Amino acid sequence: MNPYPPEFLQAIDQFNQGEYYACHDTLEALWMEALEPERTLYQGLLQMAVAGYHLGNGNQRGAILLLGEGLSRLRRCQELPPGWDFERLIQQGQSLLAHLQAQHSCEFNLRLLPL
C-alpha cells in the first residue's frame, strides 16, 4: 500500500508532465499539513518544481537557487518513496544545476568585459 496521499501521485504526474506551477500548488497544500519525514520530501520536490517554472520563464538565477535548495532537501530524506527513481532525479538535477551555474557565471563574466 502506498503511504502517500493521492495528491502526491497527482504532483508526481504534474512534475513529469512539466506542469510545474500546478505541481507547486499541489505540493504546497500537502507540505503545509505534513509532518516529517514527508514534509522535507514535499518541500524538496516543490522547490524543484518552482525551479522548473523559473527556468521555463527565463529566470535562470531563480532556477539555480530553487534547484539547489530542492536538491539539498531531497538528499536529506532518509527514505524516498518506492516506485520512483529519486536517485536519478537527484543526479539529473545536480547535472542541470552545474550546467546552469556554469552558464550563469559565464554570462556574468561576459558583462564585465570592457566594450
Side-chain angles (χ1 to χ4, degrees), residues 39-107:
R39 186 173 174 86
T40 298
L41 172 65
Y42 296 156
Q43 190 175 21
L45 287 173
L46 184 153
Q47 289 174 317
M48 291 191 69
V50 173
Y53 179 77
H54 283 316
L55 197 56
N57 287 313
N59 181 358
Q60 190 169 349
R61 186 179 189 297
I64 289 169
L65 293 173
L66 272 293
L67 189 56
E69 288 290 325
L71 287 168
S72 176
R73 281 191 171 73
L74 288 180
R75 283 189 202 102
R76 288 194 316 241
C77 291
Q78 296 291 322
E79 291 183 30
L80 294 169
W84 294 286
D85 194 352
F86 280 93
E87 290 303 319
R88 183 170 175 232
L89 174 66
I90 291 169
Q91 289 171 351
Q92 288 177 338
Q94 187 58 51
S95 293
L96 176 59
L97 180 60
H99 177 74
L100 291 173
Q101 288 171 328
Q103 279 188 330
H104 187 70
S105 63
C106 180
E107 289 175 10

Side-chain angles (χ1 to χ4, degrees), residues 4-16:
Y4 293 91
E7 294 86 359
F8 180 72
L9 300 176
Q10 178 184 0
I12 295 293
D13 187 52
Q14 290 166 330
F15 188 95
N16 288 337

